Amino acid sequence: MPAPTTNKDTLQRNRLLTRSGFFLLFLLAPVLNIFRYDLTETHFILFGFPLSFNLDLDWVSHSAPAEVAGQILVWFVLPITVLVPLVLWVAWKWGRIYCGWLCPHFSVVETINHLMTRITGRPTLWEALKKGRRGKFIHWTGLTLVCGLIGFSWALALLSYLLPPIPLYTDLITGNLAFYPSVFLAVASTVFTLDFLFARHLFCKYGCAFGVVQSIAWMTNGRGRLVTFDTARAAACRDCTRACDEACPMRLPTRSHKRAKFTCTQCLQCVSACREVQKDNPEGSLLQWEPGQPNRQTVLIPVHQLDTAPRKGRT
């Protein structure tokens, strides 16, 4: 049964809600004391409470080694042994769904891709520009300023995870920011700006360790959810201008096999694009997000089966 055309809007609207909510959480978590590490007090803060794993120095010096080891086990080792398998299980089942549906960096990738496409017709600087779409100087200036503003906001947000946010913002506004925080803001803002302008999706592909770990976990599950292509109806793509590939922020071959889409973020923009192109087709979209079928394309390194049939001798 073909997917209803309203699914496209619902799908991307849901992504917009989850990404926007998580982005706000990323920016406001330190301010609201939801989570941060206070360098001035040398401990974590979680939901407004100091989190020092209950390892006060005075208590440690007067406690037996077994008691200290127990505290480390309960407050540090045990949470990790629960959290890490949970994250790996989610990635094993759904792939890099965190990247496509929550990650603040990927939200920036999509935003700047959209702006650059409006200027040049292409979402990255590393693809050939469309004829007559090189963009005006004022457009490139505006894009650079946007990247710089986002880069600065990221640097400030990260610094607020390390220093008390309100005093940090007050010192910044009044011009009393100390030397080392100023250096951090300058360096981090420059790095983020260059990343967003030149290498944002390349970082997601090759530089993000968390993303790579999710991809590896996903590749071990032959039945993990992925974008599949209905090859039996491939002729319906004849009049399409590769809308699915053009929609992919990671610049992946969306109709190819799973191994070729190792870094897929499950953003499903390719599915939405195909639904839009095929909206008048009673059979619906050619791309679907569904459980995969285990085969040799699931593994990272293809294993060629050996031909065990006897060979004929030379005549």
Side-chain angles (χ1 to χ4, degrees):
M1 180 180 294
T5 56
T6 54
N7 278 4
K8 179 237 176 179
D9 297 329
T10 301
L11 182 66
Q12 295 307 321
R13 185 178 68 240
N14 290 342
R15 282 191 63 242
L16 179 61
L17 290 175
T18 58
R19 290 185 301 128
S20 300
F22 199 80
F23 197 90
L24 288 175
L25 179 63
F26 165 71
L27 295 177
L28 297 178
V31 179
L32 300 177
N33 275 336
I34 296 175
F35 176 77
R36 64 184 178 90
Y37 181 79
D38 195 328
L39 280 176
T40 61
E41 299 291 339
T42 64
H43 61 232
F44 287 96
I45 293 177
L46 183 65
F47 295 109
F49 296 98
L51 184 64
S52 59
F53 308 119
N54 286 351
L55 295 179
D56 181 79
L57 291 179
D58 292 334
W59 179 84
V60 170
S61 62
H62 293 87
S63 301
E67 293 179 307
V68 177
Q71 287 291 88
I72 294 176
L73 177 65
V74 172
W75 294 100
F76 184 70
V77 177
L78 187 60
I80 290 179
T81 57
V82 173
L83 183 61
V84 171
L86 177 62
V87 171
L88 290 177
W89 178 79
V90 170
W92 179 82
K93 192 171 180 65
W94 289 287
R96 294 176 66 163
I97 196 167
Y98 166 81
C99 298
W101 290 73
L102 295 176
C103 179
H105 185 274
F106 194 71
S107 296
V108 175
V109 170
E110 292 187 277
T111 300
I112 299 177
N113 279 6
H114 177 70
L115 293 176
M116 194 168 289
T117 300
R118 294 187 61 181
I119 295 175
T120 67
R122 291 289 185 176
T124 76
L125 293 174
W126 309 113
E127 298 181 29
L129 301 180
K130 290 187 176 180
K131 187 176 181 180
R133 292 292 299 277
R134 295 188 177 277
K136 298 180 181 180
F137 176 78
I138 189 172
H139 294 152
W140 285 105
T141 302
L143 180 64
T144 304
L145 289 176
V146 168
C147 292
L149 180 61
I150 298 176
F152 175 77
S153 67
W154 267 62
L156 184 60
L158 290 182
L159 189 57
S160 68
Y161 276 87
L162 302 175
L163 298 176
I166 301 303
L168 172 65
Y169 297 152
T170 302
D171 290 344
L172 181 64
I173 294 173
T174 59
N176 295 320
L177 196 62
F179 175 74
Y180 288 111
S182 300
V183 171
F184 178 91
L185 280 180
V187 173
S189 298
T190 301
V191 171
F192 283 131
T193 300
L194 294 176
D195 167 52
F196 295 148
L197 192 58
F198 296 106
R200 53 195 177 277
H201 75 285
L202 297 177
F203 172 81
C204 292
K205 274 187 174 183
Y206 309 114
C208 179
F210 183 52
V212 172
V213 168
Q214 291 179 86
S215 293
I216 294 174
W218 178 57
M219 289 298 295
T220 62
N221 181 14
R223 300 187 184 278
R225 276 192 170 267
L226 77 158
V227 175
T228 60
F229 175 58
D230 189 352
T231 55
R233 298 172 49 219
C237 295
R238 187 166 43 203
D239 299 326
C240 178
T241 58
R242 298 175 62 235
C244 54
D245 291 342
E246 293 294 327
C248 178
M250 298 290 280
R251 321 313 294 154
L252 300 176
T254 57
R255 289 166 290 178
S256 188
H257 52 76
K258 182 177 180 178
R259 194 174 65 250
K261 298 183 288 188
F262 173 77
T263 55
C264 175
T265 61
Q266 313 299 332
C267 71
L268 308 183
Q269 290 208 52
C270 56
V271 176
S272 297
C274 188
R275 286 177 178 174
E276 178 64 23
V277 171
Q278 302 295 333
K279 61 184 178 182
D280 297 325
N281 187 336
E283 296 185 88
S285 171
L286 284 80
L287 295 178
Q288 301 292 339
W289 192 46
E290 59 188 8
Q293 296 295 329
N295 55 52
R296 74 186 190 91
Q297 303 292 2
T298 300
V299 296
L300 294 177
I301 303 175
V303 179
H304 298 285
Q305 294 181 349
L306 297 177
D307 185 5
T308 57
R311 297 179 180 273
K312 294 182 179 180
R314 293 183 179 179
T315 58

